[in-house]
Amino acid sequence: FPYTTLFRSASQTNEVYAYFTLLLMFLWTVQVFGNILVVTVSGCAEEWWFAAEGAMPVVKAFCRAITYDLGAICFGSLLVAIIQTLYAILMYLAAKAKKQGNKLMECVLYCLACCVACLEKCVEYMNKYAYTYVGIYGYGFMTAGMKVMSLFVNEGLTIIQNDLIVEYLLLFGNAVVGALTAGFGIIVVQRSPAEWTEGLHPYAQLLVGIISFIIGFGIAMVMNGVIDAANKAVFILFLENPGRLAVTHPAEHDRLAS
């Protein structure tokens, strides 16, 4: 399975390089925007938890996220984007090997892709907690990562239990919103003039339903990401500073402690 058999020409090689470079930039951008959300929500939770005086806590937390904390956000986001791009490269090479009939190389590449996918999920999961620390305390990425490792050593089982409950509930909510959006799209197709879906029949309803589901699921995932980030921030704050909440918000402290 020599390297030269992967591409038929130098121009094709350059196209592949360009494609994966653009993919890396896109994935990095997506990660950065998602982690800015996590850091902003965590900063807001910190403001509420410690009852810091000041107006517009959301604006303040967002400004910190896109200025002071942006370096940490970009660094950690790049790590995840590189792993995701590596996964895409391995899947591409595996598809090439399958086309050429090289079963051994195809199996090896798929196994490597599976390992990289597991690594990506672990890093992305840990990153959420790292950015929660960044938003709350303003740590750098490496310091936040060390804090997360210590947190998992001491409270790993509690963290997993908390996340399983919340994330499955949010996933169910995302699926419900996606299903409702898909149903709305199908109804629109059924009641709209045939010219609107010309060229899509007889699969118009199916295609519109799938696209609507993806759109609805994606929007719900972004919105529920705020809840997920807030849950992680409150969890960490309650573990590390429960006494402060008892002073600033005693009623909420009693509910969490019960």
Side-chain angles (χ1 to χ4, degrees):
F1 191 63
Y3 175 80
T4 53
T5 62
L6 286 177
F7 312 111
R8 302 215 175 256
S9 65
S11 63
Q12 185 181 8
T13 304
N14 292 335
E15 287 178 5
V16 172
Y17 286 156
Y19 168 78
F20 284 115
T21 301
L22 290 173
L23 178 64
L24 173 62
M25 301 295 284
F26 171 74
L27 293 172
W28 190 13
T29 303
V30 170
Q31 286 291 321
V32 167
F33 280 112
N35 291 325
I36 285 175
L37 172 66
V38 174
V39 173
T40 301
V41 173
S42 301
C44 292
E46 181 268 337
E47 292 262 350
W48 175 81
W49 194 274
F50 292 100
E53 295 295 331
M56 299 186 294
V58 176
V59 174
K60 287 169 60 179
F62 177 70
C63 289
R64 284 201 308 271
I66 61 174
T67 53
Y68 182 77
D69 297 325
L70 188 60
I73 292 171
C74 290
F75 179 68
S77 299
L78 180 60
L79 294 179
V80 176
I82 289 173
I83 296 173
Q84 290 175 331
T85 305
L86 179 59
Y87 172 78
I89 291 171
L90 289 171
M91 292 298 292
Y92 173 79
L93 294 177
K96 281 282 187 180
K98 183 177 181 179
K99 222 179 248 189
Q100 295 175 2
N102 193 330
K103 297 296 182 182
L104 177 60
M105 186 56 67
E106 178 190 353
C107 181
V108 170
L109 289 168
Y110 275 131
C111 289
L112 287 174
C114 181
C115 293
V116 170
C118 292
L119 175 63
E120 183 261 326
K121 292 299 181 185
C122 291
V123 172
E124 195 168 18
Y125 180 71
M126 299 288 280
N127 263 10
K128 289 182 180 179
Y129 279 95
Y131 287 121
T132 302
Y133 273 103
V134 171
I136 293 172
Y137 299 110
Y139 292 147
F141 181 76
M142 299 302 293
T143 304
M146 295 300 294
K147 287 286 186 179
V148 172
M149 294 300 294
S150 176
L151 178 69
F152 271 83
V153 169
N154 297 321
E155 301 288 346
L157 184 59
T158 307
I159 292 171
I160 292 172
Q161 291 173 340
N162 177 66
D163 284 342
L164 281 175
I165 295 172
V166 174
E167 291 190 5
Y168 274 115
L169 284 173
L170 295 180
L171 179 62
F172 177 74
N174 296 342
V176 169
V177 173
L180 292 173
T181 310
F184 177 76
I186 292 172
I187 292 173
V188 170
V189 171
Q190 290 174 341
R191 301 195 175 187
S192 63
E195 293 81 9
W196 289 14
T197 53
E198 187 176 356
L200 297 178
H201 295 289
Y203 306 109
Q205 292 185 30
L206 176 63
L207 291 173
V208 171
I210 292 173
I211 294 171
S212 299
F213 178 85
I214 293 172
I215 293 172
F217 189 92
I219 293 173
M221 189 167 62
V222 172
M223 300 301 293
N224 285 336
V226 176
I227 300 175
D228 185 41
N231 168 65
K232 287 178 170 56
V234 170
F235 181 81
I236 289 175
L237 286 164
F238 188 73
L239 282 178
E240 299 191 347
N241 299 280
R244 185 60 185 172
L245 184 66
V247 175
T248 57
H249 303 282
E252 286 76 6
H253 175 271
D254 292 341
R255 281 200 291 268
L256 285 173
S258 62

